[in-house]
Amino acid sequence: MCSAHDVSSLAGHAKQIHKLVEQMIAQGASVEQITHIITDLNDAITQRVIELVLEQSPVRYPFTWLSFGSEGRGEQTLKTDQDNGILFVPPKGVSTDQVREELLPMARRINEALDQCGFPLCPGNIMASNPDCCLSLEEWRARFSRWVDQGTPEHLLYATIYFDYRVLYGDEQPGIELRDWLTEKVRGNSRFRRQMAANAMRMRPPLGLLRDFVLTSGGEHPHSLDLKTNGVTPFVDAARIYAFACGIGESNTLARLRGAVHCKGGLREADVEAWAEAYNYIQLLRLRNHRRQQEEGKTLSNHVDPDTLNELDRRILKEAFRQARKLQSKVTLEYQL
């Protein structure tokens, strides 16, 4: 993959990822192993795309390529689009706008090449080719600081995407510096963390009072469960809050939860492992669902009809949702929501 000489060849390699995931699922690999492999391969594709673009169109200024959202957390499944950005430090005597003006055309070529490799362009334009996502270190700090200090609903939404970032290419030091600063900034702002907690409670696990599934009633996916929005998101959001409260500079959900065990007044290890198993099970169902949709020639989605699950899967999924409820209840109690 790293030896691909052009984007077309790299796109051919990218298609093999789906086949590899199918084999791993069939062989009973753990979901953490599967997502780790997906992350490593997607990282390698992105890094090679950047190298190929730079070989054809070199730029004078160094930059750091960032991934956001699920890619930033290292939790991608087979259904994903691009969430990325650029971080740079202008050389002495060069303005921020001069650096950005040179980097943006390169970023556009990288985004388009990634699209050819099976990573669709982000509908919300959270991509490095967007000037709002191609910022200097000081600009990223100012942007993040405004979100934390003001905490509007829009800022809270942005935080769930941008605050889960990871360096994919270039000098890691500016990314580390930004992460350390952001972690301390949010840790020291209890009001913003409480706002994050209140916002996180909007995504409830789909269980009714009688502990049966609450299904969608209409729309594009009737009679279904959204395994992403109502399944994994409650774990992701809670883990982010605990990570910032404990000063943990991780972006991965399970690493955040496990790190919070060692925080003063943090989480119980037994609880975290139960939440990890529940989270992993929902992720596994997402992967299995994507594989089935792919085999049937359907558009990949995170919706599943519980009637298509066997009785054991249904019972385990209900327990996984109950664990998500437990985690949310703890957040609610701690932040007095």
Side-chain angles (χ1 to χ4, degrees), residues 20-286:
L20 175 61
V21 170
E22 289 178 13
Q23 293 172 358
M24 293 183 72
I25 293 174
Q27 292 168 5
S30 74
V31 72
E32 288 190 65
Q33 288 177 314
I34 296 171
T35 53
H36 182 73
I37 289 293
I38 292 174
T39 297
D40 284 349
L41 293 175
N42 288 349
D43 285 358
I45 290 171
T46 300
Q47 290 157 2
R48 185 56 183 152
V49 162
I50 295 172
E51 290 170 353
L52 289 171
V53 169
L54 289 176
E55 286 173 9
Q56 295 179 348
S57 307
V59 293
R60 290 172 293 174
Y61 307 118
F63 64 91
T64 300
W65 188 270
L66 304 176
S67 62
F68 303 117
S70 62
E71 185 182 8
R73 294 190 299 271
E75 297 166 1
Q76 286 182 304
T77 59
L78 297 181
K79 175 180 168 53
T80 185
D81 57 18
Q82 294 185 51
D83 287 316
N84 47 54
I86 284 177
L87 162 65
F88 61 87
V89 178
K92 189 174 182 180
V94 181
S95 74
T96 297
D97 288 338
Q98 282 178 294
V99 177
R100 185 167 25 249
E101 185 178 352
E102 177 156 328
L103 295 181
L104 284 175
M106 172 209 68
R108 170 54 62 186
R109 288 190 286 271
I110 292 171
N111 288 147
E112 291 173 349
L114 287 171
D115 184 38
Q116 293 179 46
C117 291
F119 302 95
L121 299 174
C122 175
N125 202 22
I126 301 176
M127 295 184 292
S129 53
N130 177 353
D132 287 341
C133 297
C134 182
L135 304 177
S136 69
L137 175 58
E138 289 307 312
E139 287 175 326
W140 279 116
R141 276 181 176 169
R143 193 182 193 198
F144 288 172
S145 185
R146 185 171 65 254
W147 295 351
V148 174
D149 291 340
Q150 296 178 3
T152 68
E154 186 179 37
H155 295 157
L156 291 165
L157 173 61
Y158 288 153
T160 64
I161 302 169
Y162 287 91
F163 286 6
D164 297 351
Y165 78 79
R166 186 165 55 93
V167 172
L168 249 64
Y169 181 90
D171 186 2
E172 289 191 21
Q173 190 54 42
I176 294 172
E177 187 176 335
L178 181 62
R179 169 64 64 195
D180 290 344
W181 170 86
L182 176 63
T183 301
E184 287 307 307
K185 175 77 176 175
V186 179
R187 188 180 191 182
N189 192 319
S190 59
R191 175 197 52 78
F192 181 72
R193 284 188 280 107
R194 189 175 188 278
Q195 287 179 301
M196 291 175 68
N199 190 60
M201 294 307 107
R202 297 170 59 191
M203 301 301 179
R204 296 287 187 177
L207 284 178
L209 294 176
L210 299 179
R211 295 193 173 184
D212 202 1
F213 295 122
V214 176
L215 306 176
T216 57
S217 58
E220 188 178 352
H221 304 282
H223 197 269
S224 67
L225 302 166
D226 187 336
L227 296 177
K228 179 180 180 182
T229 301
N230 303 110
V232 300
T233 297
F235 294 99
V236 171
D237 287 348
R240 183 184 303 108
I241 293 163
Y242 279 112
F244 281 119
C246 294
I248 298 168
E250 295 279 357
S251 59
N252 178 267
T253 295
L254 296 186
R256 283 171 161 174
L257 287 173
R258 287 166 178 157
V261 170
H262 308 290
C263 172
K264 183 179 179 180
L267 304 175
R268 292 176 60 248
E269 186 172 2
D271 289 337
V272 167
E273 287 312 307
W275 295 329
E277 288 186 24
Y279 171 84
N280 282 335
Y281 183 76
I282 298 172
Q283 285 284 64
L284 180 61
L285 276 189
R286 289 180 70 199

